[in-house]
Amino acid sequence: MINMKETINHYLAAWNEKTATAVKAAFQKCCTPDVTYTDRNAPTYTEEGGFVIKGIDLLTALVMGSHAKVPGRAFSLLTMPQYFDGHCHYSWGLHIPGQDEKAGWDYIVYNEQNLITRIVGFLPEQV
């Protein structure tokens, strides 16, 4: 990876893919195999029941669950990632058909290869 903008673009593209195979392939470009993810709604979209999701397979399941619960939703980058020394944050937009765009943001920890190791998502209140 050249920089975190490229990494984040791959990450958001994964959330917009429609099949589990495509989602997983996109995550493999930008995340470590043992990546962790958390947000306040994580248990709603997975069978695991906890707030922390670990690994690309469970992260892929989270994305597919979110497509099932919110059909047609899509994410976009709202602000350029700010990053240094393994830490990154940026804002994203959530587009749900028939609703106004909602904004959220992610805090990310990444390794020396600019692969994501940890994601903490901050969702809009209405989601």
Side-chain angles (χ1 to χ4, degrees), residues 8-50:
I8 299 308
N9 283 336
H10 284 297
Y11 177 71
L12 289 176
W15 280 88
N16 291 331
E17 292 290 352
K18 303 294 186 232
T19 68
T21 301
V23 171
K24 184 174 181 175
F27 281 142
Q28 288 172 328
K29 291 179 184 177
C30 61
C31 297
T32 60
D34 61 346
V35 63
T36 62
Y37 175 92
T38 187
D39 72 30
R40 74 171 187 273
N41 285 346
T44 305
Y45 296 99
T46 66
E47 301 293 321
E48 299 303 306

Side-chain angles (χ1 to χ4, degrees), residues 3-5 8 77-91 105-110:
N3 60 43
M4 285 308 292
K5 181 181 177 193
I8 299 308
L77 186 64
L78 292 181
T79 64
M80 297 303 290
Q82 295 183 24
Y83 56 96
F84 73 96
D85 195 32
H87 305 276
C88 176
H89 75 91
Y90 62 93
S91 297
W105 65 276
D106 287 340
Y107 165 74
I108 287 179
V109 176
Y110 61 94

